[in-house]
Short mmCIF file of all heavy atoms in Angstrom, two decimals:
data_model
loop_
_atom_site.label_atom_id
_atom_site.label_comp_id
_atom_site.label_asym_id
_atom_site.label_seq_id
_atom_site.Cartn_x
_atom_site.Cartn_y
_atom_site.Cartn_z
N PHE A 1 61.83 94.22 334.45
CA PHE A 1 60.80 95.17 334.87
C PHE A 1 61.22 96.66 334.64
O PHE A 1 60.49 97.42 334.01
CB PHE A 1 60.47 94.98 336.39
CG PHE A 1 59.43 95.92 336.80
CD1 PHE A 1 58.03 95.72 336.53
CD2 PHE A 1 59.74 97.06 337.59
CE1 PHE A 1 57.12 96.52 336.98
CE2 PHE A 1 58.70 97.84 337.96
CZ PHE A 1 57.37 97.66 337.75
N PRO A 2 62.49 97.10 335.06
CA PRO A 2 62.81 98.56 334.78
C PRO A 2 62.94 98.85 333.21
O PRO A 2 62.79 99.95 332.86
CB PRO A 2 64.12 98.74 335.51
CG PRO A 2 64.71 97.27 335.65
CD PRO A 2 63.55 96.38 335.78
N LEU A 3 63.26 97.81 332.47
CA LEU A 3 63.38 98.11 331.01
C LEU A 3 61.94 98.23 330.31
O LEU A 3 61.81 99.14 329.50
CB LEU A 3 64.07 96.94 330.34
CG LEU A 3 65.56 96.63 330.81
CD1 LEU A 3 66.21 95.46 330.03
CD2 LEU A 3 66.34 97.81 330.84
N LYS A 4 60.95 97.46 330.91
CA LYS A 4 59.65 97.55 330.30
C LYS A 4 59.07 99.01 330.80
O LYS A 4 58.35 99.63 330.04
CB LYS A 4 58.72 96.53 330.94
CG LYS A 4 59.06 95.12 330.31
CD LYS A 4 58.13 94.05 330.92
CE LYS A 4 58.55 92.73 330.25
NZ LYS A 4 57.58 91.65 330.82
N MET A 5 59.38 99.52 332.00
CA MET A 5 59.00 100.80 332.39
C MET A 5 59.53 101.86 331.50
O MET A 5 58.94 102.96 331.36
CB MET A 5 59.37 100.98 333.89
CG MET A 5 58.65 100.12 334.84
SD MET A 5 56.79 100.32 334.94
CE MET A 5 56.27 98.93 333.85
N ARG A 6 60.83 101.58 330.94
CA ARG A 6 61.34 102.57 330.01
C ARG A 6 61.00 102.30 328.62
O ARG A 6 61.55 102.96 327.68
CB ARG A 6 62.93 102.43 330.28
CG ARG A 6 63.41 103.11 331.57
CD ARG A 6 64.80 102.65 331.92
NE ARG A 6 65.35 103.39 333.08
CZ ARG A 6 65.02 103.08 334.34
NH1 ARG A 6 64.22 102.03 334.57
NH2 ARG A 6 65.45 103.82 335.32
N LYS A 7 60.23 101.38 328.32
CA LYS A 7 59.59 101.04 327.10
C LYS A 7 60.69 100.73 326.02
O LYS A 7 60.68 101.13 324.93
CB LYS A 7 58.75 102.21 326.61
CG LYS A 7 57.63 102.68 327.37
CD LYS A 7 56.76 103.63 326.85
CE LYS A 7 55.68 104.07 327.86
NZ LYS A 7 54.83 102.95 328.35
N TRP A 8 61.63 99.78 326.51
CA TRP A 8 62.58 99.31 325.61
C TRP A 8 61.96 98.36 324.64
O TRP A 8 60.99 97.60 325.05
CB TRP A 8 63.76 98.58 326.38
CG TRP A 8 64.75 99.48 326.96
CD1 TRP A 8 64.60 100.77 327.40
CD2 TRP A 8 66.06 99.15 327.23
NE1 TRP A 8 65.70 101.17 327.97
CE2 TRP A 8 66.80 100.33 327.91
CE3 TRP A 8 66.93 98.03 327.01
CZ2 TRP A 8 67.99 100.25 328.25
CZ3 TRP A 8 68.22 97.99 327.35
CH2 TRP A 8 68.80 99.17 328.00
N PRO A 9 62.40 98.13 323.51
CA PRO A 9 61.91 97.16 322.51
C PRO A 9 62.12 95.67 323.12
O PRO A 9 63.12 95.48 323.78
CB PRO A 9 62.70 97.38 321.29
CG PRO A 9 63.21 98.72 321.42
CD PRO A 9 63.39 99.01 322.82
N ARG A 10 61.17 94.79 322.78
CA ARG A 10 61.24 93.46 323.31
C ARG A 10 62.55 92.73 323.09
O ARG A 10 63.16 92.11 324.04
CB ARG A 10 60.02 92.67 322.75
CG ARG A 10 59.95 91.19 323.35
CD ARG A 10 58.86 90.46 322.76
NE ARG A 10 58.93 90.32 321.36
CZ ARG A 10 59.61 89.45 320.66
NH1 ARG A 10 60.27 88.58 321.48
NH2 ARG A 10 59.70 89.34 319.38
N GLN A 11 63.15 92.90 321.86
CA GLN A 11 64.22 92.19 321.60
C GLN A 11 65.51 92.64 322.36
O GLN A 11 66.34 91.97 322.80
CB GLN A 11 64.62 92.20 320.03
CG GLN A 11 63.72 91.35 319.19
CD GLN A 11 64.08 91.39 317.75
OE1 GLN A 11 64.80 92.28 317.28
NE2 GLN A 11 63.72 90.29 317.05
N GLU A 12 65.55 93.87 322.59
CA GLU A 12 66.55 94.48 323.38
C GLU A 12 66.48 94.11 324.91
O GLU A 12 67.46 93.98 325.53
CB GLU A 12 66.67 96.08 323.18
CG GLU A 12 66.91 96.42 321.80
CD GLU A 12 67.21 97.94 321.63
OE1 GLU A 12 67.46 98.63 322.76
OE2 GLU A 12 67.18 98.42 320.56
N ILE A 13 65.24 93.99 325.28
CA ILE A 13 65.00 93.66 326.62
C ILE A 13 65.54 92.15 326.88
O ILE A 13 66.24 91.93 327.82
CB ILE A 13 63.48 93.71 327.04
CG1 ILE A 13 63.08 95.15 327.11
CG2 ILE A 13 63.25 92.96 328.31
CD1 ILE A 13 61.66 95.29 327.46
N GLU A 14 65.17 91.25 325.94
CA GLU A 14 65.62 89.86 326.08
C GLU A 14 67.13 89.79 326.06
O GLU A 14 67.78 89.07 326.76
CB GLU A 14 65.04 89.13 324.90
CG GLU A 14 63.62 88.88 325.01
CD GLU A 14 63.00 88.19 323.80
OE1 GLU A 14 63.73 88.01 322.88
OE2 GLU A 14 61.80 87.89 323.80
N ARG A 15 67.78 90.64 325.20
CA ARG A 15 69.29 90.61 325.13
C ARG A 15 69.86 91.13 326.45
O ARG A 15 70.84 90.65 326.98
CB ARG A 15 69.77 91.47 323.95
CG ARG A 15 71.24 91.41 323.78
CD ARG A 15 71.73 92.10 322.51
NE ARG A 15 71.23 93.55 322.55
CZ ARG A 15 71.33 94.35 321.47
NH1 ARG A 15 72.01 94.00 320.38
NH2 ARG A 15 70.94 95.65 321.53
N ALA A 16 69.31 92.30 326.92
CA ALA A 16 69.84 92.93 328.05
C ALA A 16 69.66 91.94 329.38
O ALA A 16 70.54 91.78 330.17
CB ALA A 16 69.23 94.22 328.38
N VAL A 17 68.65 91.32 329.43
CA VAL A 17 68.32 90.32 330.54
C VAL A 17 69.34 89.23 330.55
O VAL A 17 69.88 88.89 331.49
CB VAL A 17 66.83 89.86 330.55
CG1 VAL A 17 66.67 88.71 331.57
CG2 VAL A 17 65.89 90.96 330.89
N LYS A 18 69.49 88.68 329.30
CA LYS A 18 70.51 87.53 329.12
C LYS A 18 71.84 87.98 329.63
O LYS A 18 72.55 87.22 330.26
CB LYS A 18 70.43 87.10 327.69
CG LYS A 18 71.43 85.98 327.51
CD LYS A 18 71.33 85.46 326.03
CE LYS A 18 72.26 84.33 325.83
NZ LYS A 18 72.17 83.81 324.33
N GLU A 19 72.25 89.23 329.18
CA GLU A 19 73.62 89.70 329.58
C GLU A 19 73.81 90.04 331.00
O GLU A 19 74.79 89.74 331.68
CB GLU A 19 73.94 90.93 328.71
CG GLU A 19 74.19 90.51 327.24
CD GLU A 19 74.25 91.71 326.19
OE1 GLU A 19 74.14 92.80 326.90
OE2 GLU A 19 74.42 91.58 325.13
N ALA A 20 72.66 90.53 331.57
CA ALA A 20 72.70 90.79 333.13
C ALA A 20 72.86 89.47 333.86
O ALA A 20 73.46 89.43 334.86
CB ALA A 20 71.35 91.57 333.43
N LEU A 21 72.14 88.42 333.40
CA LEU A 21 72.30 87.19 334.08
C LEU A 21 73.62 86.62 334.00
O LEU A 21 74.18 85.97 334.84
CB LEU A 21 71.25 86.19 333.55
CG LEU A 21 69.81 86.41 334.01
CD1 LEU A 21 68.82 85.62 333.27
CD2 LEU A 21 69.64 86.02 335.55
N GLN A 22 74.27 86.84 332.82
CA GLN A 22 75.67 86.44 332.74
C GLN A 22 76.53 87.17 333.55
O GLN A 22 77.50 86.56 334.25
CB GLN A 22 76.15 86.61 331.19
CG GLN A 22 75.48 85.71 330.20
CD GLN A 22 76.02 84.33 330.13
OE1 GLN A 22 77.11 84.05 330.86
NE2 GLN A 22 75.40 83.42 329.43
N LEU A 23 76.27 88.43 333.75
CA LEU A 23 77.11 89.30 334.60
C LEU A 23 77.10 88.78 336.05
O LEU A 23 78.09 88.79 336.76
CB LEU A 23 76.66 90.71 334.50
CG LEU A 23 77.31 91.83 335.36
CD1 LEU A 23 78.71 92.04 334.78
CD2 LEU A 23 76.65 93.09 335.40
N VAL A 24 75.97 88.42 336.56
CA VAL A 24 75.81 87.94 337.96
C VAL A 24 75.90 86.40 338.10
O VAL A 24 75.57 85.90 339.11
CB VAL A 24 74.49 88.47 338.56
CG1 VAL A 24 74.52 89.90 338.61
CG2 VAL A 24 73.32 87.84 337.87
N ARG A 25 76.37 85.74 337.05
CA ARG A 25 76.60 84.28 337.06
C ARG A 25 75.33 83.46 337.31
O ARG A 25 75.38 82.53 338.15
CB ARG A 25 77.72 84.00 338.04
CG ARG A 25 79.07 84.57 337.65
CD ARG A 25 80.14 83.99 338.54
NE ARG A 25 79.91 84.15 339.93
CZ ARG A 25 80.46 83.39 340.90
NH1 ARG A 25 81.28 82.43 340.53
NH2 ARG A 25 80.22 83.64 342.13
N LEU A 26 74.22 83.89 336.68
CA LEU A 26 72.99 83.02 336.87
C LEU A 26 72.42 82.64 335.52
O LEU A 26 71.13 82.83 335.32
CB LEU A 26 71.96 83.86 337.67
CG LEU A 26 72.17 84.08 339.10
CD1 LEU A 26 71.08 84.81 339.82
CD2 LEU A 26 72.31 82.63 339.85
N PRO A 27 73.19 82.34 334.50
CA PRO A 27 72.51 81.91 333.15
C PRO A 27 71.74 80.60 333.36
O PRO A 27 72.14 79.80 334.18
CB PRO A 27 73.79 81.69 332.29
CG PRO A 27 74.91 81.38 333.20
CD PRO A 27 74.67 82.20 334.48
N GLY A 28 70.63 80.61 332.63
CA GLY A 28 69.75 79.43 332.84
C GLY A 28 68.72 79.54 333.98
O GLY A 28 67.90 78.67 334.11
#
């Protein structure tokens, strides 16, 4: 959500979300 509000490109949003989930140990 905050990335969409900042108008990040879709591919970068997907990558950032994936890495954020890895960071907080919630992949999948």
Side-chain angles (χ1 to χ4, degrees):
F1 183 79
L3 304 182
K4 291 180 179 179
M5 294 298 99
R6 289 166 172 77
K7 302 186 185 304
W8 282 31
R10 183 178 60 82
Q11 288 185 338
E12 292 188 19
I13 290 176
E14 291 176 354
R15 179 176 58 183
V17 169
K18 182 178 179 180
E19 291 168 0
L21 284 168
Q22 291 283 351
L23 182 68
V24 298
R25 299 193 300 158
L26 287 178

